[in-house]
Amino acid sequence: MDQDALIHDAQRGDVEAYNALVLHYQNQVYNVAYRIMGDPDSASDATQEAFISAYKALNRFRGGSFKSWLLRIVTNACYDELRRRKRRPSSSLEALYVVDEAPDDPSLSSSSESPEHYTQRMELQQAIADCLQSLPEDQRVVAVLSDVQGLSYNEVAEVVGVALGTIKSRLSRSRAKLRDCLQGFGELLPAEFRQDS
Amino acid sequence: MDEQDFIRLNEYLDDELDAQTRAALEQQLLGDPAMQADLDSLRATVALLQQLETVPVPRSFTLDPAQYGRKQGFFDRLAALIGPAPTAALSGLAAAAAAFVLVVSGAFLLPATETNSVFAPAADTLSSQAEESDTVIVTQSSPPEEDMMEAESAEGPRDDSLEDEADMGAASDDEAADEAPEEDGEAASVPESAEPEATPPASVGTEEPSIAQNRQLTPTPLPTPDVLIVPDEPELESNRILLPAAGLVAAIIGVIVFAVVRQRL
Protein backbone atom coordinates (compact mmCIF):
# COMPACT_ATOMS: atom_id res chain seq x y z
CA MET A 1 0.00 0.00 0.00
CA ASP A 2 1.45 3.31 -1.09
CA GLN A 3 0.17 5.29 1.85
CA ASP A 4 1.49 8.66 0.70
CA ALA A 5 -0.22 8.30 -2.68
CA LEU A 6 -3.47 7.30 -1.01
CA ILE A 7 -3.30 10.27 1.34
CA HIS A 8 -2.56 12.57 -1.59
CA ASP A 9 -5.50 11.26 -3.58
CA ALA A 10 -7.78 11.36 -0.55
CA GLN A 11 -6.83 14.99 0.03
CA ARG A 12 -8.11 15.70 -3.46
CA GLY A 13 -11.46 14.18 -2.65
CA ASP A 14 -10.90 10.58 -3.69
CA VAL A 15 -13.09 8.70 -1.23
CA GLU A 16 -11.99 5.32 -2.51
CA ALA A 17 -8.39 6.16 -1.72
CA TYR A 18 -9.44 7.29 1.74
CA ASN A 19 -11.42 4.11 2.26
CA ALA A 20 -8.28 2.10 1.53
CA LEU A 21 -6.66 3.96 4.42
CA VAL A 22 -9.70 3.32 6.59
CA LEU A 23 -9.56 -0.40 5.91
CA HIS A 24 -5.88 -0.43 6.80
CA TYR A 25 -6.25 1.41 10.11
CA GLN A 26 -9.80 0.73 11.28
CA ASN A 27 -8.82 -2.29 13.39
CA GLN A 28 -6.28 -0.35 15.44
CA VAL A 29 -8.43 2.76 15.66
CA TYR A 30 -11.44 0.77 16.81
CA ASN A 31 -9.44 -1.13 19.41
CA VAL A 32 -8.04 2.07 20.89
CA ALA A 33 -11.57 3.42 21.11
CA TYR A 34 -12.86 0.15 22.56
CA ARG A 35 -10.25 0.07 25.33
CA ILE A 36 -10.79 3.70 26.20
CA MET A 37 -14.58 3.65 26.09
CA GLY A 38 -15.07 0.14 27.44
CA ASP A 39 -18.06 -0.82 25.30
CA PRO A 40 -18.46 -1.70 21.62
CA ASP A 41 -21.25 0.73 20.78
CA SER A 42 -19.43 3.79 22.05
CA ALA A 43 -16.26 2.55 20.42
CA SER A 44 -18.06 2.21 17.08
CA ASP A 45 -19.50 5.68 17.35
CA ALA A 46 -16.14 7.19 18.26
CA THR A 47 -14.40 5.32 15.45
CA GLN A 48 -16.93 6.38 12.83
CA GLU A 49 -16.82 9.96 14.04
CA ALA A 50 -13.03 9.90 13.98
CA PHE A 51 -12.83 8.65 10.39
CA ILE A 52 -15.36 11.23 9.22
CA SER A 53 -13.55 14.01 11.06
CA ALA A 54 -10.23 12.86 9.67
CA TYR A 55 -11.60 12.90 6.12
CA LYS A 56 -12.92 16.41 6.55
CA ALA A 57 -9.64 17.57 8.07
CA LEU A 58 -7.42 15.68 5.67
CA ASN A 59 -6.12 18.82 4.01
CA ARG A 60 -4.71 19.89 7.35
CA PHE A 61 -2.55 16.77 7.55
CA ARG A 62 0.97 17.98 6.76
CA GLY A 63 2.90 14.75 6.79
CA GLY A 64 4.40 12.84 9.67
CA SER A 65 2.84 9.71 11.09
CA PHE A 66 -0.63 9.22 9.65
CA LYS A 67 -1.32 6.54 12.25
CA SER A 68 -0.51 8.92 15.10
CA TRP A 69 -2.69 11.57 13.48
CA LEU A 70 -5.62 9.16 13.24
CA LEU A 71 -5.12 7.90 16.79
CA ARG A 72 -5.08 11.45 18.04
CA ILE A 73 -8.40 12.15 16.35
CA VAL A 74 -10.05 9.02 17.74
CA THR A 75 -8.62 9.75 21.20
CA ASN A 76 -10.14 13.21 21.08
CA ALA A 77 -13.44 11.73 19.92
CA CYS A 78 -13.37 9.42 22.94
CA TYR A 79 -12.60 12.33 25.27
CA ASP A 80 -15.55 14.23 23.81
CA GLU A 81 -17.89 11.29 24.33
CA LEU A 82 -16.65 10.76 27.89
CA ARG A 83 -17.28 14.43 28.66
CA ARG A 84 -20.78 14.13 27.23
CA ARG A 85 -21.39 11.16 29.49
CA LYS A 86 -20.31 13.16 32.51
CA ARG A 87 -22.64 15.99 31.62
CA ARG A 88 -25.58 13.72 30.86
CA PRO A 89 -25.13 10.45 32.72
CA SER A 90 -27.66 7.96 31.47
CA SER A 91 -28.26 4.26 31.76
CA SER A 92 -30.69 2.38 29.62
CA LEU A 93 -32.76 -0.55 30.80
CA GLU A 94 -31.10 -2.58 28.11
CA ALA A 95 -27.69 -1.88 29.58
CA LEU A 96 -28.83 -3.12 32.98
CA TYR A 97 -29.65 -6.55 31.60
CA VAL A 98 -26.82 -6.94 29.13
CA VAL A 99 -24.32 -9.57 30.13
CA ASP A 100 -20.85 -9.00 28.78
CA GLU A 101 -20.34 -11.35 25.94
CA ALA A 102 -17.11 -12.58 24.57
CA PRO A 103 -16.16 -10.92 21.30
CA ASP A 104 -17.27 -12.87 18.32
CA ASP A 105 -13.81 -13.84 17.23
CA PRO A 106 -13.04 -17.34 15.99
CA SER A 107 -9.54 -17.12 17.41
CA LEU A 108 -10.98 -16.75 20.88
CA SER A 109 -12.71 -20.07 20.77
CA SER A 110 -10.39 -22.35 18.94
CA SER A 111 -11.31 -25.97 18.89
CA SER A 112 -8.01 -26.94 20.51
CA GLU A 113 -8.78 -24.99 23.67
CA SER A 114 -10.65 -26.64 26.49
CA PRO A 115 -13.82 -24.95 27.71
CA GLU A 116 -12.29 -24.49 31.13
CA HIS A 117 -9.21 -22.80 29.77
CA TYR A 118 -11.31 -20.65 27.49
CA THR A 119 -13.44 -19.53 30.43
CA GLN A 120 -10.37 -18.67 32.52
CA ARG A 121 -8.89 -16.75 29.66
CA MET A 122 -12.08 -14.77 29.16
CA GLU A 123 -12.29 -13.99 32.86
CA LEU A 124 -8.73 -12.75 32.85
CA GLN A 125 -9.45 -10.60 29.84
CA GLN A 126 -12.45 -9.15 31.61
CA ALA A 127 -10.43 -8.52 34.77
CA ILE A 128 -7.76 -6.61 32.85
CA ALA A 129 -10.42 -4.62 31.00
CA ASP A 130 -12.18 -3.79 34.27
CA CYS A 131 -8.93 -2.61 35.82
CA LEU A 132 -8.28 -0.45 32.77
CA GLN A 133 -11.72 1.09 33.09
CA SER A 134 -11.06 1.85 36.76
CA LEU A 135 -8.23 4.20 35.80
CA PRO A 136 -8.70 7.94 35.40
CA GLU A 137 -9.22 8.85 31.74
CA ASP A 138 -5.82 10.44 31.20
CA GLN A 139 -3.99 7.47 32.66
CA ARG A 140 -6.21 4.99 30.83
CA VAL A 141 -5.47 6.59 27.46
CA VAL A 142 -1.74 6.44 28.07
CA ALA A 143 -1.90 2.83 29.26
CA VAL A 144 -3.93 1.78 26.23
CA LEU A 145 -1.64 3.51 23.77
CA SER A 146 1.58 2.39 25.40
CA ASP A 147 0.94 -1.05 26.87
CA VAL A 148 -1.97 -2.35 24.78
CA GLN A 149 -1.09 -0.80 21.43
CA GLY A 150 2.67 -0.80 21.97
CA LEU A 151 3.39 2.81 21.01
CA SER A 152 6.65 4.38 22.12
CA TYR A 153 6.74 7.23 24.63
CA ASN A 154 7.27 9.75 21.86
CA GLU A 155 4.39 8.37 19.83
CA VAL A 156 2.10 8.49 22.84
CA ALA A 157 3.14 12.08 23.51
CA GLU A 158 2.38 12.93 19.88
CA VAL A 159 -1.04 11.28 20.00
CA VAL A 160 -2.08 12.72 23.34
CA GLY A 161 -0.51 16.08 22.67
CA VAL A 162 1.27 16.53 25.99
CA ALA A 163 4.89 16.70 27.06
CA LEU A 164 6.99 13.57 27.26
CA GLY A 165 7.50 13.99 31.00
CA THR A 166 3.74 14.06 31.50
CA ILE A 167 3.41 10.81 29.56
CA LYS A 168 6.05 9.15 31.74
CA SER A 169 4.34 10.30 34.88
CA ARG A 170 0.88 9.17 33.74
CA LEU A 171 2.17 5.82 32.58
CA SER A 172 3.99 5.23 35.85
CA ARG A 173 0.87 5.98 37.88
CA SER A 174 -1.38 3.92 35.64
CA ARG A 175 0.85 0.88 35.89
CA ALA A 176 1.04 1.15 39.67
CA LYS A 177 -2.76 1.29 39.89
CA LEU A 178 -3.20 -1.54 37.41
CA ARG A 179 -0.79 -3.70 39.37
CA ASP A 180 -2.72 -3.12 42.58
CA CYS A 181 -6.03 -3.72 40.80
CA LEU A 182 -4.92 -6.94 39.14
CA GLN A 183 -3.61 -8.36 42.38
CA GLY A 184 -7.24 -8.45 43.44
CA PHE A 185 -7.83 -11.13 40.81
CA GLY A 186 -5.12 -13.38 42.18
CA GLU A 187 -6.67 -16.71 41.25
CA LEU A 188 -7.05 -15.62 37.63
CA LEU A 189 -3.51 -14.42 37.20
CA PRO A 190 -0.69 -16.40 35.72
CA ALA A 191 1.66 -18.06 38.19
CA GLU A 192 4.50 -15.63 37.53
CA PHE A 193 2.31 -12.68 38.44
CA ARG A 194 1.17 -14.27 41.70
CA GLN A 195 4.75 -15.09 42.64
CA ASP A 196 5.96 -11.59 41.84
CA SER A 197 3.22 -9.94 43.76
CA MET B 1 10.55 4.29 46.41
CA ASP B 2 9.61 7.76 45.24
CA GLU B 3 7.82 8.60 42.00
CA GLN B 4 11.00 9.47 40.13
CA ASP B 5 12.50 6.07 40.90
CA PHE B 6 9.28 4.41 39.80
CA ILE B 7 9.28 6.40 36.55
CA ARG B 8 12.88 5.35 35.97
CA LEU B 9 11.91 1.72 36.51
CA ASN B 10 9.24 2.09 33.85
CA GLU B 11 11.72 3.69 31.48
CA TYR B 12 14.08 0.80 32.12
CA LEU B 13 11.30 -1.66 31.41
CA ASP B 14 10.40 0.10 28.17
CA ASP B 15 14.03 0.47 27.12
CA GLU B 16 13.80 4.25 27.13
CA LEU B 17 16.96 4.87 29.16
CA ASP B 18 20.35 5.76 27.74
CA ALA B 19 23.14 3.24 28.25
CA GLN B 20 24.78 5.05 31.14
CA THR B 21 21.59 5.49 33.18
CA ARG B 22 20.57 1.95 32.41
CA ALA B 23 23.87 0.56 33.69
CA ALA B 24 23.62 2.64 36.86
CA LEU B 25 20.09 1.41 37.51
CA GLU B 26 21.10 -2.21 37.02
CA GLN B 27 23.80 -1.77 39.62
CA GLN B 28 21.23 -0.28 41.98
CA LEU B 29 18.83 -3.18 41.36
CA LEU B 30 21.51 -5.71 42.38
CA GLY B 31 21.70 -4.22 45.85
CA ASP B 32 18.01 -3.38 46.31
CA PRO B 33 15.68 -6.43 46.39
CA ALA B 34 12.60 -4.26 46.96
CA MET B 35 13.29 -2.29 43.83
CA GLN B 36 13.88 -5.54 41.97
CA ALA B 37 10.50 -6.84 43.20
CA ASP B 38 8.82 -3.65 42.00
CA LEU B 39 10.43 -4.07 38.62
CA ASP B 40 9.24 -7.68 38.38
CA SER B 41 5.68 -6.76 39.31
CA LEU B 42 5.69 -3.96 36.76
CA ARG B 43 6.97 -6.33 34.10
CA ALA B 44 4.19 -8.84 34.89
CA THR B 45 1.56 -6.06 34.77
CA VAL B 46 2.72 -4.89 31.37
CA ALA B 47 2.78 -8.50 30.15
CA LEU B 48 -0.83 -8.91 31.25
CA LEU B 49 -1.90 -5.76 29.45
CA GLN B 50 -0.19 -6.99 26.33
CA GLN B 51 -2.30 -10.14 26.59
CA LEU B 52 -5.42 -8.13 25.94
CA GLU B 53 -6.69 -9.54 22.72
CA THR B 54 -7.53 -7.49 19.70
CA VAL B 55 -11.25 -7.03 19.31
CA PRO B 56 -12.52 -7.49 15.77
CA VAL B 57 -14.25 -4.49 14.26
CA PRO B 58 -18.03 -4.93 14.28
CA ARG B 59 -18.39 -3.38 10.82
CA SER B 60 -16.54 -1.49 8.19
CA PHE B 61 -15.98 2.20 8.81
CA THR B 62 -15.43 3.16 5.21
CA LEU B 63 -17.19 6.24 3.94
CA ASP B 64 -19.94 6.21 1.35
CA PRO B 65 -18.58 7.79 -1.84
CA ALA B 66 -22.06 8.98 -2.78
CA GLN B 67 -22.23 10.97 0.42
CA TYR B 68 -18.65 12.12 0.83
CA GLY B 69 -17.25 12.03 -2.69
CA ARG B 70 -16.54 15.29 -4.42
CA LYS B 71 -18.58 15.79 -7.54
CA GLN B 72 -16.68 16.29 -10.75
CA GLY B 73 -16.97 19.95 -11.55
CA PHE B 74 -15.61 22.13 -14.29
CA PHE B 75 -12.17 22.46 -12.72
CA ASP B 76 -11.91 18.72 -12.14
CA ARG B 77 -12.68 18.00 -15.77
CA LEU B 78 -10.30 20.75 -16.85
CA ALA B 79 -7.50 19.37 -14.67
CA ALA B 80 -8.11 15.88 -16.00
CA LEU B 81 -8.08 17.22 -19.54
CA ILE B 82 -4.86 19.20 -19.37
CA GLY B 83 -3.00 16.84 -17.10
CA PRO B 84 -0.70 17.69 -14.23
CA ALA B 85 2.15 19.23 -16.24
CA PRO B 86 0.54 22.55 -17.25
CA THR B 87 -0.95 23.00 -13.81
CA ALA B 88 1.98 25.08 -12.63
CA ALA B 89 1.79 27.30 -15.70
CA LEU B 90 -1.93 27.81 -15.22
CA SER B 91 -1.38 28.61 -11.57
CA GLY B 92 1.19 31.21 -12.52
CA LEU B 93 -1.20 32.65 -15.09
CA ALA B 94 -3.94 32.86 -12.51
CA ALA B 95 -1.55 34.59 -10.11
CA ALA B 96 -0.55 37.09 -12.79
CA ALA B 97 -4.19 37.80 -13.59
CA ALA B 98 -4.96 38.33 -9.93
CA ALA B 99 -2.00 40.68 -9.57
CA PHE B 100 -3.08 42.61 -12.68
CA VAL B 101 -6.58 43.04 -11.29
CA LEU B 102 -5.15 44.27 -8.00
CA VAL B 103 -2.82 46.78 -9.65
CA VAL B 104 -5.46 48.13 -12.02
CA SER B 105 -8.08 48.43 -9.32
CA GLY B 106 -5.59 50.12 -7.02
CA ALA B 107 -4.47 52.58 -9.73
CA PHE B 108 -8.09 53.40 -10.51
CA LEU B 109 -9.29 53.85 -6.98
CA LEU B 110 -6.43 55.50 -5.14
CA PRO B 111 -6.13 58.74 -7.18
CA ALA B 112 -9.81 59.42 -6.65
CA THR B 113 -9.26 59.47 -2.93
CA GLU B 114 -6.21 61.68 -3.23
CA THR B 115 -7.58 64.49 -5.39
CA ASN B 116 -11.23 64.44 -4.41
CA SER B 117 -11.88 64.78 -8.10
CA VAL B 118 -15.51 63.84 -7.67
CA PHE B 119 -16.32 66.77 -5.44
CA ALA B 120 -13.84 69.42 -6.45
CA PRO B 121 -15.78 70.59 -9.54
CA ALA B 122 -18.92 70.90 -7.50
CA ALA B 123 -17.15 73.08 -4.97
CA ASP B 124 -15.74 75.27 -7.73
CA THR B 125 -19.18 75.61 -9.26
CA LEU B 126 -20.58 76.60 -5.93
CA SER B 127 -17.93 79.23 -5.42
CA SER B 128 -18.36 80.78 -8.84
CA GLN B 129 -22.11 80.77 -8.64
CA ALA B 130 -21.99 82.19 -5.17
CA GLU B 131 -19.87 85.04 -6.42
CA GLU B 132 -22.28 85.66 -9.23
CA SER B 133 -25.29 85.60 -6.97
CA ASP B 134 -23.57 87.59 -4.29
CA THR B 135 -23.93 84.70 -1.89
CA VAL B 136 -21.49 83.92 0.87
CA ILE B 137 -20.86 80.29 1.41
CA VAL B 138 -20.16 79.13 4.91
CA THR B 139 -18.89 75.66 5.42
CA GLN B 140 -20.24 73.67 8.27
CA SER B 141 -18.61 70.60 9.65
CA SER B 142 -20.54 67.85 11.32
CA PRO B 143 -24.07 69.18 11.25
CA PRO B 144 -26.18 68.17 14.23
CA GLU B 145 -28.23 65.05 13.80
CA GLU B 146 -31.51 66.87 13.96
CA ASP B 147 -30.41 68.98 11.05
CA MET B 148 -29.18 66.16 8.91
CA MET B 149 -32.22 66.32 6.68
CA GLU B 150 -31.61 69.95 5.90
CA ALA B 151 -27.93 69.32 5.52
CA GLU B 152 -28.62 66.57 3.07
CA SER B 153 -30.91 68.82 1.14
CA ALA B 154 -28.09 71.30 0.95
CA GLU B 155 -25.81 68.57 -0.36
CA GLY B 156 -28.22 67.46 -3.02
CA PRO B 157 -27.98 68.56 -6.60
CA ARG B 158 -25.69 71.46 -6.20
CA ASP B 159 -27.28 73.78 -8.73
CA ASP B 160 -30.80 73.23 -7.48
CA SER B 161 -29.90 73.74 -3.88
CA LEU B 162 -27.96 76.81 -4.77
CA GLU B 163 -30.95 78.26 -6.47
CA ASP B 164 -33.26 77.20 -3.68
CA GLU B 165 -31.04 78.64 -1.04
CA ALA B 166 -30.62 81.81 -3.03
CA ASP B 167 -34.37 82.08 -3.35
CA MET B 168 -34.78 81.51 0.32
CA GLY B 169 -32.25 84.15 1.06
CA ALA B 170 -33.94 86.61 -1.24
CA ALA B 171 -37.33 85.86 0.16
CA SER B 172 -36.18 86.29 3.71
CA ASP B 173 -34.24 89.44 3.36
CA ASP B 174 -36.66 91.37 5.47
CA GLU B 175 -36.93 88.67 8.07
CA ALA B 176 -33.20 88.39 8.24
CA ALA B 177 -32.87 92.03 8.82
CA ASP B 178 -35.19 91.72 11.76
CA GLU B 179 -33.56 88.61 13.14
CA ALA B 180 -30.03 89.76 12.79
CA PRO B 181 -29.79 91.63 16.09
CA GLU B 182 -31.17 88.65 17.96
CA GLU B 183 -28.36 86.49 16.72
CA ASP B 184 -25.58 88.25 18.54
CA GLY B 185 -24.50 90.35 15.70
CA GLU B 186 -24.94 87.69 13.08
CA ALA B 187 -25.12 89.94 10.09
CA ALA B 188 -25.80 87.46 7.37
CA SER B 189 -29.26 86.25 6.79
CA VAL B 190 -29.11 82.62 7.85
CA PRO B 191 -31.86 80.23 6.97
CA GLU B 192 -33.21 78.18 9.83
CA SER B 193 -31.42 75.16 8.53
CA ALA B 194 -28.08 76.70 9.35
CA GLU B 195 -26.55 76.77 12.76
CA PRO B 196 -25.01 80.03 13.93
CA GLU B 197 -22.27 78.09 15.72
CA ALA B 198 -20.83 76.90 12.45
CA THR B 199 -17.17 75.99 12.71
CA PRO B 200 -14.51 77.62 10.58
CA PRO B 201 -14.49 76.54 6.98
CA ALA B 202 -12.81 73.34 6.05
CA SER B 203 -11.04 72.27 2.95
CA VAL B 204 -13.66 72.34 0.24
CA GLY B 205 -14.72 75.92 0.08
CA THR B 206 -11.14 77.08 -0.01
CA GLU B 207 -11.97 80.52 -1.30
CA GLU B 208 -14.98 81.15 0.87
CA PRO B 209 -14.70 83.46 3.86
CA SER B 210 -14.72 82.03 7.34
CA ILE B 211 -17.38 82.71 9.93
CA ALA B 212 -15.16 85.29 11.51
CA GLN B 213 -14.91 86.96 8.15
CA ASN B 214 -18.66 86.76 7.84
CA ARG B 215 -18.99 88.50 11.14
CA GLN B 216 -16.69 91.18 9.87
CA LEU B 217 -19.08 91.58 7.01
CA THR B 218 -21.84 92.38 9.44
CA PRO B 219 -21.65 96.17 9.13
CA THR B 220 -21.78 96.01 5.38
CA PRO B 221 -25.02 97.70 4.58
CA LEU B 222 -25.74 96.77 0.99
CA PRO B 223 -26.13 94.42 -0.55
CA THR B 224 -26.92 92.00 2.23
CA PRO B 225 -25.17 88.83 1.29
CA ASP B 226 -27.04 85.61 1.31
CA VAL B 227 -25.28 83.02 3.34
CA LEU B 228 -25.38 79.52 2.08
CA ILE B 229 -24.43 76.88 4.54
CA VAL B 230 -22.53 74.05 2.96
CA PRO B 231 -21.69 71.19 5.25
CA ASP B 232 -18.12 70.02 5.28
CA GLU B 233 -18.76 67.07 2.96
CA PRO B 234 -19.29 64.14 5.32
CA GLU B 235 -19.71 62.07 2.19
CA LEU B 236 -16.21 62.98 1.16
CA GLU B 237 -14.86 61.87 4.51
CA SER B 238 -16.70 58.58 4.27
CA ASN B 239 -15.49 58.03 0.73
CA ARG B 240 -11.93 58.44 1.86
CA ILE B 241 -12.56 55.32 3.90
CA LEU B 242 -14.92 53.52 1.55
CA LEU B 243 -12.79 53.69 -1.56
CA PRO B 244 -9.66 52.13 -0.04
CA ALA B 245 -11.94 49.62 1.69
CA ALA B 246 -13.45 48.73 -1.66
CA GLY B 247 -9.94 48.29 -3.03
CA LEU B 248 -9.10 46.03 -0.12
CA VAL B 249 -12.24 43.97 -0.67
CA ALA B 250 -11.37 43.67 -4.36
CA ALA B 251 -7.89 42.50 -3.42
CA ILE B 252 -9.25 39.91 -1.00
CA ILE B 253 -11.70 38.64 -3.61
CA GLY B 254 -8.87 38.37 -6.12
CA VAL B 255 -6.74 36.38 -3.69
CA ILE B 256 -9.64 34.08 -2.83
CA VAL B 257 -10.40 33.45 -6.48
CA PHE B 258 -6.76 32.68 -7.11
CA ALA B 259 -6.60 30.32 -4.12
CA VAL B 260 -9.74 28.48 -5.22
CA VAL B 261 -8.50 28.09 -8.76
CA ARG B 262 -5.14 26.87 -7.57
CA GLN B 263 -6.73 24.42 -5.13
CA ARG B 264 -9.06 23.07 -7.78
CA LEU B 265 -6.31 22.63 -10.30
Side-chain angles (χ1 to χ4, degrees), chain B residues 28-250:
Chain B
Q28 190 178 353
L29 284 169
L30 289 175
D32 191 342
M35 181 179 275
Q36 182 65 51
D38 279 333
L39 177 63
D40 293 339
S41 66
L42 274 177
R43 183 179 284 122
T45 302
V46 174
L48 277 176
L49 287 170
Q50 289 171 344
Q51 286 183 18
L52 269 178
E53 293 164 359
T54 300
V55 180
V57 293
R59 60 186 174 86
S60 174
F61 294 100
T62 53
L63 304 187
D64 181 8
Q67 185 177 358
Y68 293 97
R70 201 179 77 189
K71 294 177 181 175
Q72 291 286 311
F74 170 75
F75 290 107
D76 298 304
R77 291 194 295 272
L78 181 64
L81 186 67
I82 64 175
T87 300
L90 277 177
S91 299
L93 190 63
F100 178 75
V101 168
L102 293 181
V103 170
V104 169
S105 60
F108 178 74
L109 292 173
L110 288 178
T113 63
E114 293 290 327
T115 61
N116 303 325
S117 59
V118 175
F119 297 99
D124 294 342
T125 305
L126 273 177
S127 299
S128 61
Q129 292 187 2
E131 289 173 359
E132 291 173 0
S133 63
D134 198 17
T135 300
V136 176
I137 299 175
V138 177
T139 59
Q140 178 190 20
S141 63
S142 303
E145 290 183 7
E146 60 267 20
D147 293 329
M148 283 301 290
M149 293 299 290
E150 288 112 343
E152 287 174 5
S153 68
E155 290 176 6
R158 297 290 173 169
D159 294 340
D160 294 344
S161 67
L162 185 62
E163 293 172 4
D164 293 342
E165 293 292 328
D167 292 341
M168 287 176 65
S172 61
D173 276 348
D174 296 336
E175 295 175 10
D178 295 337
E179 290 175 6
E182 298 175 5
E183 295 179 5
D184 296 334
E186 191 78 38
S189 173
V190 181
E192 290 183 1
S193 62
E195 288 293 328
E197 293 81 11
T199 56
S203 59
V204 175
T206 53
E207 296 180 3
E208 298 92 8
S210 66
I211 291 179
Q213 289 171 327
N214 288 337
R215 287 179 177 171
Q216 289 175 357
L217 291 175
T218 302
T220 305
L222 288 172
T224 303
D226 297 333
V227 177
L228 182 63
I229 303 301
V230 179
D232 191 17
E233 282 90 15
E235 285 184 0
L236 186 61
E237 289 297 327
S238 63
N239 276 281
R240 284 179 181 145
I241 300 171
L242 285 177
L243 290 178
L248 182 62
V249 169

Side-chain angles (χ1 to χ4, degrees), chain A residues 11-13 15-16 18-20 22-23 26-27 30-31 34-35 40 43-45 47-48 51-52 55-56 59 103-105 107-108 121-122 124-125 128-129 132 143 146-148 152-154 165 168-169 171-173 175-176 178-179 182-183 189-190 192-193 196-197, chain B residues 1-17 34-72 76 79 84 87 262-265:
Chain A
Q11 284 175 328
R12 291 179 172 273
V15 181
E16 297 298 340
Y18 182 72
N19 282 339
V22 171
L23 290 173
Q26 67 177 1
N27 194 43
Y30 174 77
N31 272 270
Y34 180 78
R35 295 303 176 194
S44 286
D45 292 344
T47 303
Q48 188 69 76
F51 278 123
I52 293 173
Y55 180 72
K56 290 177 178 174
N59 282 326
D104 186 20
D105 184 359
S107 67
L108 299 179
R121 190 161 59 88
M122 287 299 102
L124 178 59
Q125 293 282 314
I128 299 170
L132 261 179
S146 175
D147 291 340
V148 180
S152 69
Y153 286 11
N154 284 321
K168 292 177 181 177
S169 176
L171 185 61
S172 172
R173 292 175 185 173
R175 283 176 175 173
L178 284 169
R179 179 185 63 181
L182 287 170
Q183 284 173 351
L189 302 178
E192 64 271 18
F193 192 91
D196 290 337
S197 61
Chain B
M1 180 184 296
D2 63 14
E3 186 175 5
Q4 286 306 315
D5 287 337
F6 204 71
I7 289 174
R8 198 153 8 108
L9 274 184
N10 280 285
E11 290 178 290
Y12 176 79
L13 196 60
D14 296 323
D15 201 16
E16 294 274 350
L17 290 177
M35 181 179 275
Q36 182 65 51
D38 279 333
L39 177 63
D40 293 339
S41 66
L42 274 177
R43 183 179 284 122
T45 302
V46 174
L48 277 176
L49 287 170
Q50 289 171 344
Q51 286 183 18
L52 269 178
E53 293 164 359
T54 300
V55 180
V57 293
R59 60 186 174 86
S60 174
F61 294 100
T62 53
L63 304 187
D64 181 8
Q67 185 177 358
Y68 293 97
R70 201 179 77 189
K71 294 177 181 175
Q72 291 286 311
D76 298 304
T87 300
R262 187 180 175 85
Q263 174 69 21
R264 291 277 183 161
L265 290 180

